[in-house]
Amino acid sequence: AAQGGREEFDIRQLQRAFSASLSPRGEILLREYLQGWRQLLKFLEALGTAFGLISRETESKIGILQRHQEGPHGLHYRTVQSMVAFELSSGLVGFQSLPAHQPPSGCRTLLRLHRALKWLELFLHKLGTSPKDGKPSRMCAEAYRVALAPYHSWWVKQAVALAFLAMPSRQELYRIIVRGEKPAAVLATVESLGRVYNITQEVYSAHGMLELP
Ligand code: 1PZ
């Protein structure tokens, strides 16, 4: 199956990409990880124009990491672990703000996606386990309050709150997310995301990198 552009969001491909991103040795493969994120981009696009800001921000973060992969030090950007080791040893992590002419580090960029993955894990878990009359916009907001809001500026929080108001109904969301699949696909995906999240979290926490500016 084609992995690129045109097709609609497919939760199996999302699950596959994130499980494939975990190597048998416990490394997170960046190529597959970003492939998973491109699948999420399709999901955001399916939600409509109210989510344009969030889509563009996601695209921008994916783009920064892709440019690192294609850059002169691309070999070091094969796994999360090798990226962290490389940026640490070259002083490129940016524990303090980096000078403006320098591109954002891979580590601080991935950290943003990593936190958003927690949001997704919480949200999908709520969606997969909540009663039929549960409101997605509310589940979104609750997951956001825990996983992302503490790291966002006032204006971003306002913009995100507006987007949540445009969240489709539970039925419509199920149509986009689950489509022909069994609802169990949602929980399988939550599990894969969780594994990838936990390993990344361990790596970042071991190097004191959970608060990069
Ligand atoms: C269903 C949709 C739910 C979305 C969940 C909440 C996502 C909020 C993302 C808000 C991004 C909009 C504006 C830019 C925010 C940036 O300031 C932050 C911090 O980056 P920095 O400014 O430090 O460079 N960007 C992020 O936090 C990255 C967020 C990535 C996108 C998240 C999408 C999550 C969901 C994907 C699946 C549906």
Side-chain angles (χ1 to χ4, degrees):
Q3 289 195 305
R6 271 152 236 115
E7 290 157 44
E8 281 181 61
F9 173 72
D10 180 343
I11 191 156
R12 281 171 320 165
Q13 287 209 30
L14 176 65
Q15 203 254 329
R16 267 188 224 139
F18 279 107
S19 18
S21 76
L22 201 52
S23 87
R25 294 162 54 192
E27 296 163 318
I28 313 267
L29 306 171
L30 266 178
R31 222 169 67 97
E32 282 72 9
Y33 186 92
L34 291 181
Q35 208 54 52
W37 269 101
R38 290 193 187 95
Q39 200 54 233
L40 287 173
L41 208 47
K42 291 185 195 178
F43 175 56
L44 285 169
E45 280 159 9
L47 291 178
T49 51
F51 294 82
L53 172 75
I54 300 175
S55 292
R56 284 192 300 276
E57 166 69 4
T58 305
E59 230 172 341
S60 147
K61 295 291 188 262
I62 294 173
I64 293 168
L65 285 165
Q66 191 178 329
R67 282 190 287 284
H68 280 300
Q69 285 183 315
E70 292 166 352
H73 305 295
L75 276 179
H76 296 288
Y77 289 83
R78 199 177 71 82
T79 72
V80 169
Q81 286 89 341
S82 65
M83 170 185 84
V84 167
F86 168 69
E87 291 192 345
L88 273 174
S89 67
S90 335
L92 292 172
V93 170
F95 285 98
Q96 273 87 47
S97 298
L98 289 169
H101 65 269
Q102 223 166 303
S105 73
C107 288
R108 66 90 64 197
T109 303
L110 187 97
L111 180 59
R112 272 56 183 179
L113 294 180
H114 170 67
R115 290 168 179 161
L117 219 52
K118 183 48 121 187
W119 174 85
L120 185 64
E121 190 193 338
L122 292 174
F123 174 66
L124 286 182
H125 183 261
K126 282 177 202 289
L127 197 68
T129 58
S130 63
K132 288 250 178 311
D133 57 356
K135 272 207 165 54
S137 55
R138 212 166 137 186
M139 298 175 205
C140 273
E142 280 172 11
Y144 178 73
R145 194 164 38 81
V146 175
L148 283 172
Y151 307 102
H152 283 168
S153 64
W154 182 86
W155 78 265
V156 168
K157 282 186 256 195
Q158 308 309 306
V160 169
L162 273 181
F164 285 159
L165 292 180
M167 204 66 190
S169 68
R170 186 186 169 89
Q171 204 184 6
E172 171 69 2
L173 261 188
Y174 255 90
R175 203 189 56 75
I176 299 171
I177 298 178
V178 184
R179 281 203 298 168
E181 299 305 312
K182 299 196 179 70
V186 177
L187 290 177
T189 305
V190 173
E191 247 183 73
S192 297
L193 294 177
R195 272 197 292 274
V196 171
Y197 178 88
N198 289 342
I199 294 182
T200 311
Q201 180 76 8
E202 276 170 30
V203 173
Y204 270 67
S205 124
H207 295 100
M209 294 190 350
L210 287 168
E211 302 286 338
L212 300 177

